[in-house]
Amino acid sequence: MRGAKSAKWVAGAIVIALAATACGGGDSDSGDDMKAGKADPNGILTAQLSEPQNPLQPANAKESQGSRVLKTIFSGLVDYEPGTGELQMINAESVTPNADSSVWTAKLKPGWKFHDGTPVTAESYVNAWNWSANVKNNQTNSSWFQDIKGYADVHPEKGDPKSEKMSGLKVVDENTFTITLTSSVSYFAYKLGYDVWAPLPESFYKDPDAFGEKPVGNGPYEFVSWDHKKLIKVRKFDDYTGPNKAKNGGIDFKNYTTADAAYSDLRSDNLDWIEQVPTTALTSYKDDLGDRAIDQEYSAVQSIVPAFYTDQFKDIDPKVVQGLSMAIDRDTITKTVLHGTRSPADSYVARGVLGYKAGALSDVTKFDPAAAKALIEEGGGVPGNKISIQFNADQDHKPWVDAVCNSIRKSVGVECTGDSKPDFQADLDARDNKQVKSMYRGGWVLDYPVNSNFMRDLYGTTAAGNTSGYSNKEFDDLSAAADKAATLDETVKMYQEAEQLLKADMPAIPLWFYKNNSGQSRNVFGKIVYGQDGDPIFTDVQVKAKS
């Protein structure tokens, strides 16, 4: 997610399972009240959404809003069991590696269909991945295919592609294909739960732009309509044969320009799920909602990221960024401004992810104004002695941005201001177009539950999630070596070494780990179950029958 959030993911015993610790503060609703009545299998759920940045094409979303919709419309080869985190086969019957994990074989469950009635076959995947990787098609997540042999032929650094197909993809039969990688990647199967790996029907290639406005998927819901910046409708696909069939009739994704407006609609039962309670309600929402309140940590990290392409940061000494990090009083901000709804970050990797190491960055994330000032001076100071932090105003970021700026200003005398963009789409566009003036808010949720996702996919020179212009050949080489390790355990350990390299270089300043401080309406039957990405398992949400 890339950007803010990417999608919904987790893995087996190697992952710390994050329990659903929903907390009720008052008695406005009891568990019995939430189960009162009957569930309507055709009831429509309403959920908060901001405008997706790009057309709804699987390889064209590296942010949470587009991904949230795409995950309902498309089903990929695999996903992850909520709670246990075990790898779950969805459209795949199996995904298996050879001895050194350099060649993977995917076998599909036969009989699957797209929503237009056409079959889902091995070619549906191979053709989709070849098209999405092709540089001519300008897909924001095309770099996700760079592990596959022949990627450089369809996506050269300069010029036109030499081929329309990656040599590493081979169709064996209608339901089987092989994926040959440029080298071993021990955790490749874990990556396949991300949106980018979805199949596409033949109708896509007739007009990809039009498809992005009205996508045809193979998932539990089929697309109905998109009224831009207002509403996206998806409805249950009755002929869906996957294990995660929808227990409701569909979802209306409603757009809100402010978190306060969404929360108001939630309290009046005009909205069934809210993404995040506004700061103004953090001290009262548990009393407001009772058992319908949610307080649950998930695997995501908030950070602020220097734009290294700017004159201010392109030749910056890392000591300056380390000093800015140590000028931030995370403990006080999370306890006061954020009312205990976040935990100070001590790593680039989120908790609950394989390879998270407590205290990995503690010496540069601790609050120490004297040391911070000394580091900034040793590094030559902040050019202009002023920074700004870009953020999106359609979510409630301003209070903490102001608090971070105040902490920096008071601790080291560097002037700091917020740089507000009207919505998430505008914020992401500014990042992608290299228009950030100084620094930007970076929030990242796991795409797959291995620590590489919080490093290689954010700070690798060619990574889709790298919108800061950061580049470090030593880190790229260490990441490549880690991916080639013989076992997943070795890969994880090498990425822990890479994290120490990043600490010395400071491509970003981690602030805190996320919690899902959310809620549901009285229209929902029972308690919503959440994935490790902080989103509801939408297919499992039940809507109460109207009396």
Side-chain angles (χ1 to χ4, degrees):
M1 300 225 201
R2 32 177 215 120
K5 290 202 291 187
S6 297
K8 195 173 291 179
W9 319 270
V10 164
I14 60 172
V15 176
I16 301 169
L18 296 179
T21 54
C23 296
D27 57 1
S28 59
D29 286 277
S30 68
D32 289 341
D33 290 337
M34 295 171 70
K35 280 286 191 180
K38 294 182 179 180
D40 179 1
N42 296 311
I44 304 301
L45 179 75
T46 57
Q48 183 184 7
L49 190 79
S50 295
E51 178 76 356
Q53 183 190 18
N54 295 318
L56 294 173
Q57 301 157 320
N60 214 10
K62 64 179 177 185
E63 42 75 33
S64 59
Q65 310 306 302
S67 177
R68 186 171 295 151
V69 179
L70 286 166
K71 289 291 281 187
T72 68
I73 301 169
F74 289 92
S75 286
L77 296 170
V78 303
D79 205 340
Y80 306 94
E81 292 276 7
T84 66
E86 293 179 3
L87 194 66
Q88 181 185 26
M89 297 294 121
I90 303 296
N91 193 186
E93 191 170 274
S94 62
V95 180
T96 53
N98 67 345
D100 68 353
S101 299
S102 64
V103 181
W104 294 74
T105 300
K107 291 184 178 293
L108 305 183
K109 295 172 182 175
W112 272 55
K113 295 187 180 298
F114 288 103
H115 300 152
D116 61 5
T118 58
V120 180
T121 65
E123 283 194 347
S124 305
Y125 282 92
V126 169
N127 292 345
W129 298 0
N130 280 323
W131 187 92
S132 298
N134 194 307
V135 67
K136 294 188 298 183
N137 298 321
N138 197 33
Q139 296 294 282
T140 189
N141 277 334
S142 57
S143 66
W144 277 75
F145 300 100
Q146 63 187 343
D147 290 325
I148 299 175
K149 187 177 180 180
Y151 173 79
D153 292 332
V154 302
H155 200 110
E157 292 186 14
K158 295 181 181 179
D160 293 329
K162 298 178 182 178
S163 174
E164 297 293 313
K165 298 179 179 180
M166 289 181 281
S167 58
L169 297 178
K170 300 291 185 185
V171 173
V172 177
D173 58 42
E174 186 176 22
N175 292 311
T176 310
F177 66 102
T178 58
I179 310 155
T180 301
L181 308 181
T182 56
S183 61
S184 304
V185 179
S186 60
Y187 58 93
F188 186 73
Y190 292 102
K191 301 179 73 170
L192 295 175
Y194 184 32
D195 311 334
V196 70
W197 304 98
L200 290 168
E202 284 302 310
S203 59
F204 169 86
Y205 306 99
K206 297 176 183 177
D207 192 339
D209 291 337
F211 183 97
E213 294 296 315
K214 194 172 183 179
V216 175
N218 67 324
Y221 299 93
E222 58 183 322
F223 177 87
V224 175
S225 62
W226 184 0
D227 188 356
H228 284 273
K229 297 196 174 184
K230 292 182 180 178
L231 181 68
I232 294 177
K233 291 184 177 184
V234 300
R235 293 295 180 262
K236 177 169 58 177
F237 182 53
D238 290 330
D239 293 333
Y240 182 67
T241 56
N244 52 332
K245 292 184 178 182
K247 297 177 182 178
N248 54 63
I251 311 166
D252 285 352
F253 290 105
K254 299 174 68 173
N255 188 279
Y256 288 86
T257 56
T258 69
D260 286 292
Y263 184 61
S264 177
D265 265 7
L266 180 77
R267 292 189 65 188
S268 60
D269 296 322
N270 291 319
L271 179 67
D272 296 327
W273 174 77
I274 186 174
E275 182 170 15
Q276 179 65 39
V277 171
T279 304
T280 53
L282 285 175
T283 58
S284 62
Y285 85 103
K286 292 177 184 178
D287 288 326
D288 293 341
L289 302 178
D291 284 351
R292 295 183 290 114
I294 303 298
D295 181 8
Q296 177 184 341
E297 187 169 312
Y298 62 100
S299 294
V301 180
Q302 181 82 79
S303 61
I304 50 176
V305 186
F308 291 100
Y309 50 79
T310 62
D311 290 338
Q312 182 177 43
F313 284 107
K314 67 180 178 182
D315 295 315
I316 202 77
D317 188 316
K319 289 180 180 178
V320 175
V321 187
Q322 289 174 341
L324 290 172
S325 176
M326 295 178 73
I328 300 168
D329 189 352
R330 294 164 178 79
D331 190 57
T332 296
I333 294 171
T334 53
K335 286 179 179 176
T336 58
V337 178
L338 296 171
H339 304 288
T341 61
R342 301 289 185 270
S343 301
D346 57 2
S347 170
Y348 282 119
V349 180
R351 288 197 289 235
V353 171
L354 181 62
Y356 163 73
K357 189 174 183 178
L361 304 182
S362 58
D363 50 343
V364 294
T365 57
K366 66 181 178 181
F367 180 53
D368 189 335
K373 194 168 186 178
L375 278 168
I376 291 172
E377 289 176 355
E378 288 174 28
V382 175
N385 203 45
K386 180 179 181 179
I387 60 172
S388 62
I389 303 172
Q390 178 179 296
F391 67 94
N392 51 301
D394 57 346
Q395 290 292 329
D396 205 19
H397 299 299
K398 187 177 187 302
W400 70 257
V401 170
D402 288 345
V404 166
C405 278
N406 286 337
S407 186
I408 290 172
R409 191 183 301 113
K410 291 177 181 178
S411 298
V412 295
V414 174
E415 183 57 34
C416 179
T417 58
D419 180 11
S420 173
K421 299 299 177 186
D423 54 33
F424 194 34
Q425 184 182 38
D427 175 33
L428 291 171
D429 286 344
R431 300 187 211 177
D432 288 345
N433 294 324
K434 299 190 182 306
Q435 295 170 341
V436 176
K437 299 170 186 174
S438 179
M439 307 180 84
Y440 61 86
R441 175 198 76 84
W444 189 263
V445 66
L446 83 169
D447 300 309
Y448 55 93
V450 182
N451 57 355
S452 59
N453 184 228
F454 285 81
M455 288 185 272
R456 173 190 170 180
D457 296 320
L458 269 178
Y459 307 120
T461 299
T462 60
N466 184 348
T467 54
S468 70
Y470 173 77
S471 180
N472 182 327
K473 186 176 185 301
E474 186 179 357
F475 172 75
D476 291 340
D477 290 345
L478 184 52
S479 298
D483 288 349
K484 296 175 186 176
T487 67
L488 184 58
D489 284 345
E490 291 178 64
T491 293
V492 167
K493 288 178 182 177
M494 291 180 72
Y495 269 108
Q496 288 175 332
E497 295 173 21
E499 185 170 19
Q500 293 306 300
L501 191 156
L502 290 179
K503 181 178 73 172
D505 220 21
M506 291 302 285
I509 298 173
L511 296 177
W512 37 75
F513 299 125
Y514 274 90
K515 279 188 178 181
N516 188 350
N517 303 104
S518 180
Q520 63 188 65
S521 78
R522 295 178 183 85
N523 301 323
V524 175
F525 185 82
K527 199 73 172 179
I528 290 177
V529 176
Y530 286 77
Q532 199 170 350
D533 64 338
D535 269 4
I537 309 298
F538 283 115
T539 50
D540 283 350
V541 178
Q542 294 179 290
V543 179
K544 288 183 180 179
K546 297 187 183 300
S547 55

